[in-house]
Amino acid sequence: MNCYQPLCFVHGLQLAVVDMLYKKNIEREEEHQEITSNESDTDDETNDTHEEQGVTVTTTTDPRHLHLSRDEVIPRYNDLLHKVRKVVKLFKRSTKYDMYLQKYVKEDTGKELSLILDCRTRWNSLLAMMERFHKLKVCIDKALIDMGSDTTFSDLEWSKIKDLIESLQPFKLAVEALCRRDSTLLTAETTLKFILEKLVTQDTMLSAELSEALRVRIKERRTVVTGILIYL
């Protein structure tokens, strides 16, 4: 049970992010579930189902890279992310424009750092893109000015990017901790408590929504054993 319950919580973390950050698409979700069901019938190596103490737990080989069935972000962040992706593609697809950027990046960090383009069906790649983008925000602003681009980012947009990063970082740390080989129910509970406390201290709309979604998903996955552990 120790091996699979933490992975079940990992799936709950993934779903909590999807619940709050991505638009619901019923047709796409049903199609995804059907495909997943068909694959599980033909591929026994990637999915294992275990029944212990009346609890059925399904795991994948690497839950850190689960694909989302929704790839369109909620309207609150969709326009901003579209703008970020547009700028990232601009620098990644043009050597000339990237030279403008790397000039300031080298001055600021002492080495070259390229921007990262996310995969729309993986929220952890979205986090990686936003972290790098925010880290190089001064360099990006200067490079866009040198290029004569009309694209600019306001203080509010940079603030929203920062809020998004701070809200997703605890989820990333939690997933990494729960996917460790030595992860147990005790470490899982400690990790979940940590992430909920971090979200509460952030005191933003997104962190509050993620916190509530996570509580719901965790509650769905708690077992009798988990309850006894918490009581003790």
Side-chain angles (χ1 to χ4, degrees):
M1 187 69 178
N2 283 0
C3 298
Y4 304 110
Q5 186 67 46
L7 295 183
C8 188
F9 283 138
V10 170
H11 188 235
L13 289 170
Q14 305 276 6
L15 292 179
V17 174
V18 176
D19 289 342
M20 297 315 307
L21 200 57
Y22 291 83
K23 281 185 178 181
K24 293 183 179 180
N25 188 324
I26 297 176
E27 292 182 359
R28 185 173 296 167
E29 286 184 343
E30 290 178 347
E31 179 182 355
H32 176 75
Q33 291 172 359
E34 182 179 351
I35 292 174
T36 303
S37 176
N38 292 336
E39 289 179 348
S40 64
D41 292 337
T42 58
D43 188 358
D44 294 331
E45 295 181 359
T46 56
N47 293 280
D48 297 309
T49 301
H50 305 269
E51 293 188 5
E52 296 190 27
Q53 300 183 9
V55 179
T56 301
V57 180
T58 302
T59 63
T60 60
T61 53
D62 193 347
R64 290 168 295 182
H65 300 295
L66 293 175
H67 285 274
L68 307 179
S69 57
R70 314 171 197 169
D71 59 5
E72 189 174 355
V73 177
I74 56 176
R76 195 191 317 162
Y77 289 96
N78 193 44
D79 290 343
L80 176 59
L81 290 177
H82 177 73
K83 187 175 180 179
V84 170
R85 291 187 183 112
K86 181 180 177 181
V87 172
V88 172
K89 291 177 182 178
L90 180 66
F91 286 112
K92 291 185 75 69
R93 293 176 179 177
S94 172
T95 304
K96 177 183 177 181
Y97 291 154
D98 190 54
M99 288 176 62
Y100 285 112
L101 177 62
Q102 294 306 323
K103 170 187 173 183
Y104 295 110
V105 172
K106 287 181 181 179
E107 291 177 358
D108 188 46
T109 66
K111 60 181 180 180
E112 290 190 0
L113 286 175
S114 299
L115 295 177
I116 299 172
L117 184 62
D118 70 322
C119 172
R120 296 194 181 205
T121 56
R122 290 183 178 176
W123 66 263
N124 55 348
S125 71
L126 170 65
L127 174 59
M129 178 181 72
M130 301 303 275
E131 285 177 326
R132 179 63 58 84
F133 199 84
H134 189 268
K135 180 178 181 178
L136 302 180
K137 67 176 185 176
V138 175
C139 303
I140 292 171
D141 284 338
K142 290 180 178 178
L144 289 173
I145 293 173
D146 289 352
M147 292 159 47
S149 174
D150 295 331
T151 302
T152 59
F153 288 86
S154 65
D155 291 340
L156 178 60
E157 288 175 321
W158 284 118
S159 178
K160 290 177 69 174
I161 290 174
K162 183 180 179 182
D163 288 344
L164 184 59
I165 293 171
E166 290 180 346
S167 294
L168 291 180
Q169 279 178 337
F171 282 85
K172 176 186 175 183
L173 295 174
V175 169
E176 291 174 350
L178 293 175
C179 286
R180 289 171 55 94
R181 286 182 176 272
D182 57 353
S183 179
T184 64
L185 278 176
L186 183 59
T187 57
E189 286 301 319
T190 303
T191 301
L192 294 173
K193 182 179 179 181
F194 160 78
I195 186 175
L196 288 171
E197 289 177 349
K198 290 289 289 184
L199 291 172
V200 170
T201 57
Q202 289 172 14
D203 194 26
T204 64
M205 183 182 297
L206 179 60
S207 64
E209 292 172 343
L210 285 170
S211 176
E212 181 60 29
L214 180 57
R215 291 179 191 277
V216 172
R217 291 299 185 176
I218 291 175
K219 186 177 181 180
E220 293 174 350
R221 286 159 175 76
R222 289 207 186 278
T223 64
V224 175
V225 176
T226 308
I228 294 174
L229 180 63
I230 295 174
Y231 177 77
L232 295 175

